[in-house]
Amino acid sequence: DIQMTQFPSTLSASVGDRVTITCRASQSISGELAWYQQKPGKAPKVLIYDASSLESGVPSRFSGSRSGTEFTLTISSLQPGDFATYYCQQYNDYSLTFGGGTKVEIK
Amino acid sequence: EVQLVESGGDLVQPGGSLRLSCAASGFTFSDHYMDWVRQAPGKGLEWVGRARNRLHSYSTEYAPSVKGRFTVSRDDSRNSFYLQMNSLQTEDTAVYFCARGAFCTSSRCPGPFDYWGRGTLVTVSS
């Protein structure tokens, strides 16, 4: 199975900060990766798919990039509603896998 | 409007069985892969299993942690998706989400989960 290593596990930031979350795949997954946002008690919501494509309706402050097997989610200017947990997920392999999650907390 | 509504979650003893259902509406169910994802209390997301669509012979895939114990199935005539869970263990305690996978009309259909249900809680405890 493909392992997804996500870091940091927790991130403290302030409104307006630029935030970066990274996910590293244990082997090549091409660009077949998504990023999700989850708030407490809610289902996850897809933000980015195919590594860098913005899901319809998602604000443009969210962006994704890829360098080989390393993937990055960037929030250009953190907003109050962005404090949540973020997960990466690869869908390249028959067995899908998520990263361990990054909790973005208020500093 | 796309809707996915899970049901069937309950308290069950270790070694027991449970069947979850997911009722889908608002889209052409038969065109999509369907998946189950779970989340243990206070933990991250774990993909459980997938049922592909008719084009791909309704083939299934499972996470190693549930393979041989859980079975996914679907009934396109009822727009419904199921998870049969047998030999349940305490570590299967989680909220189980139904998620819509890729729209698939070709030989390979990678894609994210673009719609999710609210989840149903399964508690395995004596």
Side-chain angles (χ1 to χ4, degrees):
Chain A
D1 287 7
I2 297 174
Q3 307 305 314
M4 303 301 297
T5 303
Q6 185 175 342
F7 52 91
S9 56
T10 307
L11 188 160
S12 295
S14 302
V15 172
D17 284 354
R18 182 182 182 88
V19 164
T20 298
I21 300 168
T22 301
C23 227
R24 185 175 295 138
S26 60
Q27 63 190 71
S28 174
I29 58 169
S30 298
E32 293 171 351
L33 179 124
W35 290 97
Y36 299 87
Q37 176 193 68
Q38 188 181 30
K39 296 183 179 179
K42 301 292 187 183
K45 169 188 168 184
V46 64
L47 303 173
I48 301 285
Y49 64 94
D50 293 348
S52 60
S53 295
L54 191 68
E55 176 74 357
S56 176
V58 173
S60 58
R61 63 179 179 273
F62 292 93
S63 63
S65 63
R66 171 197 174 193
S67 177
T69 58
E70 192 161 290
F71 299 82
T72 300
L73 173 70
T74 299
I75 309 172
S76 60
S77 177
L78 201 63
Q79 298 301 299
D82 300 339
F83 291 97
T85 301
Y86 294 83
Y87 295 92
C88 64
Q89 179 220 6
Q90 66 80 18
Y91 44 86
N92 175 262
D93 189 40
Y94 286 136
S95 185
L96 312 179
T97 44
F98 287 91
T102 297
K103 185 174 183 180
V104 177
E105 299 179 325
I106 301 173
K107 193 172 186 179
Chain B
E1 178 194 6
V2 172
Q3 285 197 322
L4 299 170
V5 180
E6 304 92 338
S7 60
D10 205 348
L11 170 63
V12 60
Q13 292 191 340
S17 297
L18 203 60
R19 188 195 197 208
L20 305 184
S21 299
C22 172
S25 61
F27 65 101
T28 305
F29 181 75
S30 58
D31 283 340
H32 285 262
Y33 291 179
M34 293 298 297
D35 293 79
W36 288 100
V37 177
R38 69 182 180 182
Q39 186 168 38
K43 302 297 184 182
L45 301 171
E46 180 186 19
W47 173 75
V48 172
R50 156 169 289 180
R52 295 187 181 87
N53 60 2
R54 179 181 176 184
L55 179 67
H56 293 267
S57 305
Y58 301 118
S59 57
T60 56
E61 304 289 347
Y62 298 94
S65 59
V66 306
K67 197 167 186 178
R69 300 188 299 124
F70 289 13
T71 303
V72 297
S73 61
R74 60 190 291 163
D75 183 343
D76 288 1
S77 68
R78 296 176 181 269
N79 286 354
S80 292
F81 182 48
Y82 306 101
L83 179 65
Q84 176 66 42
M85 303 184 291
N86 297 332
S87 303
L88 281 160
Q89 305 162 359
T90 54
E91 50 266 38
D92 295 318
T93 293
V95 173
Y96 285 73
F97 295 100
C98 167
R100 188 176 85 165
F103 170 81
C104 191
T105 57
S106 61
S107 61
R108 186 174 180 270
C109 305
F113 303 146
D114 59 354
Y115 287 91
W116 298 63
R118 292 185 174 184
T120 187
L121 177 62
V122 173
T123 303
V124 185
S125 174
S126 54

